[in-house]
Amino acid sequence: MSSRSLTAGLGLTPAEFVIRLSSTPRGARLARRLTEQQLAAWGIPYDSGTAWAVALVVAELASNAITHGRLPGRDFRLVLALQPAAVRIEVTDARPERPLPDPSPARADATAGRGLLLVDAYADRWGCVARDAYTKTVWAEVVSAESCELS
């Protein structure tokens, strides 16, 4: 865990939570759980619409990172940032050469392929950027009435 995330246990309210997680299904589940806990620490209740939307977006982006952006021995990074009017989510994986497909409806009988449609539906803005030759970051912002009250 980064030092910025450890300050939450000290009664401080950091504006950013950063953690690296293993590129495994367990890492993706942990990303969602830690997101729910961090939002609660920021004063965004578990049962709020904002918490539900942010957790869903994190789950989809983490799942994509471990499914499509995984390299053996490389983790993915989750960043949550509390902004004045939104929660920003960033998931960084190790496959910059694999751009995101356009979110298009999957066939009715398909068992996969709806993740980016969910991100598009629940995030107010989202996109992808390759900041270097080794990583790709998919980001999303969910507007939050709760975060506006905290700022």
Side-chain angles (χ1 to χ4, degrees):
M1 247 184 244
S2 75
S3 59
R4 287 179 278 189
S5 63
L6 292 176
T7 59
L10 301 174
L12 303 174
T13 307
E16 190 174 73
F17 173 83
V18 181
I19 191 166
R20 288 179 48 184
L21 298 162
S22 65
S23 293
T24 63
R26 183 178 186 274
R29 283 191 307 273
L30 190 56
R32 182 179 177 130
R33 292 289 185 210
L34 291 171
T35 294
E36 292 167 341
Q37 289 178 352
Q38 185 61 49
L39 293 174
W42 283 334
I44 301 173
Y46 285 114
D47 58 352
S48 70
T50 300
W52 192 84
V54 171
L56 182 128
V57 170
V58 166
E60 290 302 328
L61 295 183
S63 177
N64 282 351
I66 67 161
T67 303
H68 306 293
R70 180 174 186 264
L71 280 176
R74 298 279 305 273
D75 297 336
F76 72 94
R77 184 180 69 190
L78 170 66
V79 177
L80 302 173
L82 185 62
Q83 299 179 335
V87 176
R88 183 175 173 92
I89 303 144
E90 294 183 2
V91 175
T92 302
D93 67 43
R95 298 301 295 263
E97 76 280 3
R98 290 189 177 178
L100 293 180
D102 289 329
S104 56
R107 293 189 350 242
D109 60 345
T111 60
R114 293 179 181 84
L116 291 179
L117 285 174
L118 290 171
V119 171
D120 193 48
Y122 285 97
D124 294 280
R125 296 179 345 126
W126 69 279
C128 179
V129 62
R131 293 184 177 135
D132 57 41
Y134 307 103
T135 63
K136 166 182 79 237
T137 299
V138 183
W139 60 270
E141 292 178 354
V142 176
V143 171
S144 165
E146 292 90 348
S147 67
C148 294
E149 296 168 6
L150 295 172
S151 302

